[in-house]
């Protein structure tokens, strides 16, 4: 895909960057909301074209089969979230939670976030990828605090402090990779180019790579939301605008995971270095079991699903840590299904919080009675994220468990325990939310249900029939991951 000599990679970066500048100057809500959605749609079209043609690899940018999965998924969620955001933010303006100035800031930052995440996923330079992920972090920090309440500012600062610690650890790990590469590749830019490093990494000093990966896993693992580095995530979800919760769960966590996978591939290519899998398996299991038990103690509906995100990122890290074609395929599928499902759930939660004027679970009861479509959509979303058939997450979780039983049966026990604990907590909360005695506050829903229904419909369709073309694509990427 080319336009005026620009290829799809250029367009995926230029569209959000230029739109951010335009939105910073746009005074009207309706116009800025439409511009935001249109830009997100055009970015999605540009990224989707990467399935069919790609520009040549450069020193700064490159797109391969692995990055295309993340880029297209992220652009799609970014587009649907922009549609949800348009109707959601209208209500926030009406009730006075957002002012025109903050609205300009919100829409501009949304496109900066899209730019930063696309840049991170298309980077061929490890330093550039670090800068892009840091930009995405700072952007979401600003958006979490956009309401300017005491709680929102506190959550933003907590996110900023913990995110800064994580990104500093990741920077140190990146520097160590460069130090390990310098004797082999030489000084300068080539020592940071991922495609160059992959051809020479077998000659790098293994101890340096080992230490580097520990720092990189801890640093980027903070942004993935893996326990015990997760503390920023529940507050950021609870206090920020709901569209940002959807973007955090459906996009930003995946971008940090992508960075971890890139360095995992690098380390795996040096046979004298430590195996990265056991570290990822350990952090994944800890996150899964910890988040499963924490789900029982949540009193805020957005915090509930924030801990669900920690649980599922743990499952994904576990699957990629196990490695091999089947586990990697399961990890890719689970990442895709989680992004679609969790963002769809946050769309429904945004509607619920507006019609009930509360995020407290005790204030939300009997949704299937007061708002049938919204209530049953929440039921479908919770059943999907809990891993029940026929939704796509059931398939991915089944593949994770079966591959674990086949290769490391003793790991299957804590894995299944974590899944069952989280399953019980979600169903326990769902009973009151959807089927309890209706709580007061039954305002009509004026926002569009389309993004929510589209996501849940895709997850259901994927559970019933996963297209052979996508299956073959995921199988190919799974083999790339080793």
């Amino acid at each position: 895909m080319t336009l005026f000599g620009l290829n799809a990679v250029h367009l995926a970066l230029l569209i959000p960057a230029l739109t951010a500048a335009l939105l910073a100057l746009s005074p009207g809500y309706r116009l800025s909301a439409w511009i935001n959605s249109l830009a997100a749609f055009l970015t999605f079209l540009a990224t989707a074209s990467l399935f069919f043609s790609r520009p040549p690899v450069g020193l700064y940018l490159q797109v391969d089969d692995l990055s295309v999965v993340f880029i297209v998924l992220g652009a799609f969620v970014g587009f649907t979230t922009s549609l949800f955001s348009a109707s959601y933010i209208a209500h926030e303006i009406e009730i006075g939670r957002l002012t025109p100035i903050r609205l300009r800031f919100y829409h501009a930052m949304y496109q900066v976030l899209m730019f930063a995440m696309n840049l991170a996923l298309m980077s061929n330079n490890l330093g550039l990828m670090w800068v892009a992920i840091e930009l995405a972090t700072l952007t979401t920090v600003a958006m979490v605090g956009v309401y300017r309440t005491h709680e929102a500012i506190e959550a933003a600062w907590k996110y900023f402090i913990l995110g800064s610690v994580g990104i500093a650890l990741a920077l140190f790990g990146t520097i160590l990779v460069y130090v390990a590469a310098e004797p082999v590749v030489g000084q300068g830019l080539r020592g940071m180019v991922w495609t160059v490093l992959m051809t020479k990494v077998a000659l790098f000093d293994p101890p340096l790579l080992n230490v580097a990966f520990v720092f990189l896993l801890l640093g980027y693992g903070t942004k993935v939301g893996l326990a015990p580095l997760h503390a920023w995530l529940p507050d950021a979800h609870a206090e920020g605008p709901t569209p940002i919760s959807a973007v955090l769960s459906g996009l930003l966590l995946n971008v940090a995971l992508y960075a971890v996978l890139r360095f995992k591939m690098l380390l795996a290519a040096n046979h004298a270095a430590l195996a990265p899998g056991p570290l990822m398996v350990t952090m994944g299991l800890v996150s899964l079991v910890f988040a499963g038990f924490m789900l029982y103690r949540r009193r805020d509906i957005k915090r509930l699903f924030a801990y669900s995100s920690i649980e599922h990122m743990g499952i994904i890290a576990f699957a990629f840590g196990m490695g091999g074609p089947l586990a990697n395929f399961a990890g890719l599928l689970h990442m895709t299904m989680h992004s679609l499902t969790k963002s769809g759930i946050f769309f429904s939660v945004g509607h619920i919080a507006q019609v009930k004027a509360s995020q407290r679970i005790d204030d939300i009861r009997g949704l299937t009675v007061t708002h049938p479509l919204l209530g049953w959509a929440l039921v479908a979303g919770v059943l999907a994220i809990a891993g029940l058939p026929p939704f796509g997450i059931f398939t991915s979780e089944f593949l994770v468990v079966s591959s674990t039983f086949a290769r490391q049966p003793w790991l299957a026990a804590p894995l299944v325990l974590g899944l069952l604990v989280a399953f019980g907590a979600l169903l326990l909360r769902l009973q009151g939310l959807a089927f309890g005695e209706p709580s007061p506050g039954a305002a009509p829903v004026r926002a569009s249900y389309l993004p929510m229904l589209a996501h849940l419909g895709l997850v259901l369709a994927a559970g019933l029939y996963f297209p052979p073309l996508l299956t073959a694509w995921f199988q190919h990427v799974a083999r790339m991951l080793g």
Side-chain angles (χ1 to χ4, degrees):
M1 177 180 176
T2 58
L3 182 66
F4 303 117
L6 300 174
N7 59 46
V9 170
H10 297 147
L11 292 173
L13 297 175
L14 284 176
I15 291 171
L18 295 177
T19 305
L22 177 62
L23 289 172
L25 303 174
S26 179
Y29 157 70
R30 296 189 182 280
L31 178 61
S32 60
W34 277 109
I35 292 174
N36 190 48
S37 297
L38 177 61
F41 177 65
L42 294 175
T43 302
F44 170 63
L45 290 181
T47 58
S49 71
L50 294 171
F51 274 119
F52 311 104
S53 64
R54 298 169 202 166
V57 175
L59 291 178
Y60 293 100
L61 299 175
Q62 66 97 22
V63 175
D64 61 10
D65 291 337
L66 173 63
S67 55
V68 166
V69 174
F70 284 81
I71 293 166
V72 176
L73 175 64
F76 177 76
V77 174
F79 166 56
T80 55
T81 303
S82 71
L83 294 178
F84 165 74
S85 176
S87 54
Y88 175 88
I89 296 297
H91 181 273
E92 302 298 278
I93 295 172
E94 290 179 7
I95 63 176
R97 295 189 75 187
L98 284 178
T99 63
I101 294 296
R102 293 180 193 171
L103 186 65
R104 288 190 198 183
F105 178 80
Y106 170 86
H107 280 132
M109 288 297 100
Y110 191 95
Q111 288 300 318
V112 172
L113 179 61
M114 294 299 106
F115 165 79
M117 290 192 291
N118 285 342
L119 180 60
L121 296 172
M122 294 176 176
S123 295
N124 195 26
N125 183 289
L126 302 184
L128 182 61
M129 181 173 67
W130 180 89
V131 170
I133 293 176
E134 174 66 352
L135 177 60
T137 302
L138 294 175
T139 304
T140 46
V141 165
M143 296 175 81
V144 164
V146 74
Y147 287 139
R148 300 295 190 270
T149 63
H150 173 77
E151 293 79 8
I153 294 174
E154 181 181 350
W157 270 107
K158 187 174 184 180
Y159 181 14
F160 174 73
I161 296 300
L162 294 178
S164 297
V165 171
I167 206 69
L169 293 174
L171 176 61
F172 189 62
T174 304
I175 293 171
L176 288 178
V177 170
Y178 176 80
V179 171
E182 184 182 358
V184 178
V185 179
Q187 294 183 347
L189 183 62
R190 288 174 59 84
M192 297 291 283
V193 177
W194 189 81
T195 49
V196 173
L197 297 181
M198 282 297 293
T199 63
K200 305 288 187 180
V201 68
L203 303 175
F204 294 176
D205 182 32
L208 267 178
L209 286 180
N210 296 343
V211 176
F213 185 76
V214 171
F215 279 101
L216 289 162
L217 181 59
L218 291 173
Y220 288 124
T222 302
K223 302 199 178 292
V224 176
L226 298 177
L229 311 168
H230 67 284
W232 63 271
L233 199 150
D235 288 346
H237 278 73
E239 303 303 335
T242 303
I244 303 310
S245 299
V247 168
L248 282 172
S249 282
L251 287 179
L252 191 58
L253 304 186
N254 290 349
V255 174
L257 175 68
Y258 172 83
V260 173
L261 292 180
R262 282 294 184 195
F263 285 105
K264 176 181 179 289
M265 294 170 67
L266 196 67
L267 208 69
N270 186 310
H271 300 297
L274 64 81
L279 293 175
M280 295 181 66
V281 164
T282 301
M283 291 191 73
L285 272 181
V286 170
S287 301
L288 167 60
V289 176
F290 169 79
F293 281 105
M294 290 297 287
L295 286 171
Y296 285 91
R297 299 182 58 84
R298 299 309 100 199
R299 298 293 179 264
D300 182 292
I301 190 169
K302 290 177 70 176
R303 289 180 186 273
L304 175 74
F305 291 112
Y307 275 97
S308 174
S309 291
I310 296 170
E311 173 215 348
H312 283 278
M313 295 312 293
I315 297 171
I316 296 166
F318 177 90
F320 286 126
M322 287 294 294
L326 182 58
N328 286 335
F329 180 91
L332 288 168
L333 181 62
H334 198 83
M335 179 195 72
T336 304
M337 295 298 103
H338 172 257
S339 293
L340 295 174
T341 307
K342 188 57 63 62
S343 50
I345 287 175
F346 275 115
F347 296 160
S348 68
V349 167
H351 295 314
I352 291 167
Q354 289 185 342
V355 299
K356 296 293 185 180
S358 175
Q359 294 177 190
R360 284 178 48 83
I361 293 176
D362 290 342
D363 297 333
I364 304 169
R365 289 288 184 270
L367 284 169
T368 54
V369 176
T370 59
H371 299 82
L373 181 57
L374 184 58
W376 286 110
L378 180 65
V379 170
V382 172
L383 294 181
I385 208 66
L388 285 178
F391 297 98
I393 286 184
F394 168 77
T395 305
S396 59
E397 288 186 353
F398 177 81
L399 291 175
V400 173
V401 173
S402 60
S403 65
T404 305
F405 266 114
R407 296 175 54 196
Q408 300 288 346
W410 61 277
L411 285 176
L415 174 65
V416 173
L417 171 66
L419 292 174
L420 291 177
V421 169
F423 174 84
L426 289 171
L427 291 192
L428 178 66
R429 292 300 184 195
L430 179 63
Q431 292 181 40
L433 289 168
F435 306 113
E437 184 69 23
S439 57
V445 178
R446 289 175 291 172
S448 172
Y449 282 133
L450 183 60
M452 174 184 70
L453 297 177
H455 278 223
L456 297 179
L458 285 173
V459 174
L460 176 60
L464 297 173
Y465 174 76
F466 201 71
L469 182 62
L470 286 179
T471 301
W473 187 280
F474 277 27
Q475 288 173 337
H476 170 64
V477 175
R479 288 191 293 270
M480 282 180 59
L481 290 168

